[in-house]
């Protein structure tokens, strides 16, 4: 087993990311109660939640779990997908799982974790690493080498052997301890062969059955999940057949997620009877035993019973699905697992349901399903439905779809996000696509014209069908309907492309000019340039754009001036003085300064022009600092007032978070002044700062840290 869990193998199984996370889980001591029984490791891994993880080597004894595992992975390849027309969303997982299954068959590694991640997750990596580090508590003779794994067979120790067996086992364990440092513990080395406690398996084998049963029942009474597992095991092993009422009770219990159940909550919610609270966080842990039991009775040939119970479970699931969270790996896979089982059972017992009845049932389930978990996987049933069933299903979908109200821009507020609408739309699209019917597809999309995106979708459908006139028509319609609103960038781009296709360059440019004209700034400027570059006529557009930008700044400036005059008048009325912030204040604030020009010129890598604009009309502090960066090398003197202002700004208030940046700004200023032989000036400044800010101890500490004078 150790050979199968070498770091290289683990990394390959888990991927680099999960491996690294598993490593830190292990080194962080998050692997709890790791036990080894034969070739099986089990542990609880405590992260944000508690997960149960097991790794074992496949052999005949674990067939049952193997089968379950295959289904959990949806790797069930019985579920024939011959009708390509239905297979719109494709089962991407399929191939990968097939590979895994093959690997498992030749005595490979098997594993399961109760977390939703699937695959060989970080928890399993952590368990494997803990095992390699010798952290496993070996409950039986130790299954790490072939020899002892074989000898720890079921029922090997009979009562008669018990009396003489003890010494034998002890000897063996000691021998093993010497061979393998990892499974030996310190205690076993110091124990003498006479007093060493036998391993748990040996001990339990020697107990009377009555005592074991009493123990198990005692534990089950305290552990609701374990109790349910036992009950399901009993139900599945019932020699008299299938007790349907009992199975329904078990299903009810498994799906008993009361209102307020929160699978993501870490608080100690315990509104759940029977001591289940420890396991409440992972729905799948409760569902798993039910699935296993149904699997078992299906294998025994009770296909009709399983079909009926799976149907029952799916209806129960429907009632609580929304409580199981939005994690698609949680609720969605539970729904899908029962569907897979249902389909298997129906296939094993074809007379159970006629296609018409099945079509109605599938339709009703899909209609009721909440979209939060991805909807009801009705595609699973396609091969079972056959031609007649599909026809029935489709006609039901079409009838219901006809009643779905049309959504328009004005009705957006009344948007219903029901699963019904989602399911019907998806099903309608699946049929239309299978028929290759573009018009039908477009009619479906026209049921919802509540956003620009809907128009874009329609336009794209026609474009993809090379029906460019209709494509343009829908794009223009959407553009018109939503005029005045926030414009959809995708729709604009689509329209521009269609105009260019028709060599209507002016129309394409107008779309981008309108946007720039409305909101001249770097973002719209860059978009305008991108479009103009397509026609290689940027210089002319650039000139126009600059004129427009200056015009816009001038409008803002006048507005700001009026506001300032009003404020000044108000201040004078109350006898206030002038702002001590002085000249710089007007240069670094307000939307009316040259910030937008500076930003665009810097973006165009024209730092000198940007500097000239900043000096002429001011800009934001962030831009001043950017400008300082561009001028530091060749014009250090230009940067001094910028850094000086930064220091003033940062030291005005006793704000702890500004202390370190202020000290850094002073350091910068010191370097610049030094380059200009103005050290004296800097010394004066520092003396002044140390004097006036002496009460701010932490600030002084920051200055000292940087060895400032
Ligand atoms: Zn996991």
């Amino acid at each position: 087993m150790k050979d199968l869990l070498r770091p290289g193998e683990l990394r390959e199984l888990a991927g680099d990311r999960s491996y690294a996370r598993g490593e830190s889980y292990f080194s962080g001591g998050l692997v709890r109660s790791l036990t080894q029984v034969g070739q099986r490791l089990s542990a609880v891994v405590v992260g944000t939640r508690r997960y149960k993880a097991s790794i074992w080597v496949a052999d005949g004894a674990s067939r049952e779990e193997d089968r379950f595992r295959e289904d959990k992975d949806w790797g069930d390849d019985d579920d024939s997908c011959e009708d390509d027309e239905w297979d719109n969303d494709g089962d991407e997982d399929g191939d990968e799982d097939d590979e895994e299954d093959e690997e498992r068959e030749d005595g490979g590694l098997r594993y399961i974790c109760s977390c939703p991640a699937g695959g060989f997750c970080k928890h399993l990596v952590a368990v494997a690493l803990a095992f390699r580090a010798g952290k496993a508590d070996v409950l039986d003779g130790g299954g790490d080498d072939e020899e002892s794994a074989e000898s720890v067979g079921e029922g090997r120790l009979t009562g008669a052997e018990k009396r003489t067996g003890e010494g034998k086992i002890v000897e063996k364990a000691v021998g093993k301890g010497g061979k393998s440092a990892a499974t030996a513990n310190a205690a076993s080395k110091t124990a003498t062969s006479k007093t060493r406690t036998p391993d748990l398996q040996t001990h339990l084998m020697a107990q009377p059955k009555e005592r074991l049963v009493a123990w198990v029942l005692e534990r089950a009474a305290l552990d609701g999940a374990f109790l349910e597992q036992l009950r399901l095991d009993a139900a599945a092993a019932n020699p008299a057949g299938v007790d349907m009422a009992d199975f329904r009770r078990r299903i009810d219990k498994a799906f008993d997620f009361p209102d307020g159940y929160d699978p993501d909550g870490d608080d100690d919610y315990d509104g759940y009877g029977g001591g289940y609270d420890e396991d409440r966080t992972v729905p799948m842990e409760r569902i798993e035993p039910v699935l296993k039991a149904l699997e078992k009775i299906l294998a025994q040939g009770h296909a009709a019973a399983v079909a009926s119970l799976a149907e029952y479970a799916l209806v129960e699931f429907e009632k609580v699905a929304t409580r199981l969270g939005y994690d698609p790996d949680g609720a969605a896979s539970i729904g899908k697992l029962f569907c897979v089982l249902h389909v298997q059972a129906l296939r094993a017992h074809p007379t159970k349901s006629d296609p018409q009845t099945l079509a109605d049932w599938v339709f009703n389930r899909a209609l009721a399903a909440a979209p939060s978990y991805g909807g009801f996987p009705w595609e699973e049933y396609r091969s079972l439905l056959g031609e007649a069933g599909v026809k029935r299903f489709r006609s039901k979908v079409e009838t219901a779809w006809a009643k779905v109200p049309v959504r328009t821009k004005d009705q957006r507020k009344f948007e219903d996000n029901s699963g019904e609408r989602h399911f019907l739309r998806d099903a309608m699209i699946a049929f239309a696509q299978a028929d290759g019917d573009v018009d039908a597809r477009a009619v479906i999309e026209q049921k919802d014209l509540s956003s620009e995106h809907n128009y874009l979708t329609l336009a794209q459908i026609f474009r993809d069908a090379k029906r460019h006139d209709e494509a343009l028509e829908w794009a223009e319609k959407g553009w018109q309907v939503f005029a005045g609103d926030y414009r959809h960038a995708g729709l604009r781009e689509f329209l521009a492309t269609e105009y260019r296709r028709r060599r209507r360059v002016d129309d394409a440019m107008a779309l981008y000019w309108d946007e720039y004209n409305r909101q001249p700034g770097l973002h719209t400027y860059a978009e305008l340039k991108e479009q103009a570059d397509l026609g290689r006529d940027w210089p002319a557009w650039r000139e126009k754009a600059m004129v427009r930008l200056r015009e816009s700044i001038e409008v803002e400036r006048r507005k700001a001036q009026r506001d300032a005059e009003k404020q000044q008048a108000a201040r004078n009325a109350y006898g206030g003085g002038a702002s001590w912030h002085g000249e710089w204040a007007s240069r670094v604030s307000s939307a009316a300064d040259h910030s937008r020009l500076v930003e665009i010129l810097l973006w165009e890598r024209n730092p000198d022009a940007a500097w000239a604009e900043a000096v002429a009309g001011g800009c934001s502090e962030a831009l001043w600092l950017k400008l300082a960066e561009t001028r530091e090398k060749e014009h250090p003197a230009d940067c001094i007032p910028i850094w000086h202002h930064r220091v003033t700004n940062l030291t005005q208030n006793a704000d702890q978070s500004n202390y370190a940046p202020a000290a850094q700004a002073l350091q910068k200023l010191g370097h610049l002044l030094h380059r200009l032989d103005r050290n004296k000036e800097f010394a004066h400044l520092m003396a002044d700062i140390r004097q006036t800010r002496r009460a701010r101890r932490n600030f002084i500490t920051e200055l000292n840290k940087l060895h400032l004078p």
Side-chain angles (χ1 to χ4, degrees), residues 1 36-41 138-144 148-149 152 201:
M1 183 152 201
Q36 181 186 2
V37 178
Q39 299 275 71
R40 185 180 188 111
L41 304 172
V138 184
L139 301 186
D140 58 4
D144 202 27
S148 63
V152 187
Q201 187 178 36

Side-chain angles (χ1 to χ4, degrees), residues 547-591:
V547 170
R548 172 70 190 103
L549 180 55
R550 286 181 192 282
E551 200 181 276
S552 154
I553 290 171
E554 182 58 19
V555 170
E556 290 289 323
R557 196 190 61 77
R558 279 197 214 130
K559 189 170 157 283
Q561 199 174 356
R562 280 196 305 273
D563 290 348
E565 277 162 14
K566 266 186 232 161
Q567 275 176 17
Q568 190 57 46
R571 260 203 297 274
N572 288 343
Y574 291 99
S579 159
W580 41 258
H581 215 303
E583 186 198 348
W584 277 93
S586 63
R587 297 179 81 180
V588 294
S589 62
S590 140

Side-chain angles (χ1 to χ4, degrees), residues 40 54 56 59-72 104 110-112 288 292:
R40 185 180 188 111
S54 297
W56 67 100
D59 63 338
S62 45
R63 269 287 77 169
E64 183 192 306
E65 277 132 313
D66 297 355
R67 232 188 13 250
F68 172 70
R69 183 73 211 168
E70 276 157 28
D71 273 354
K72 193 187 173 186
R104 285 177 190 146
R110 315 282 313 221
Y111 43 82
I112 190 161
E288 227 176 76
K292 268 193 197 176

Side-chain angles (χ1 to χ4, degrees), residues 113 115 121 123:
C113 177
C115 83
C121 62
H123 308 108

Side-chain angles (χ1 to χ4, degrees), residues 51-53 112-124:
Y51 292 115
K52 290 176 185 167
I112 190 161
C113 177
S114 60
C115 83
F120 203 88
C121 62
K122 58 190 175 191
H123 308 108
L124 292 163

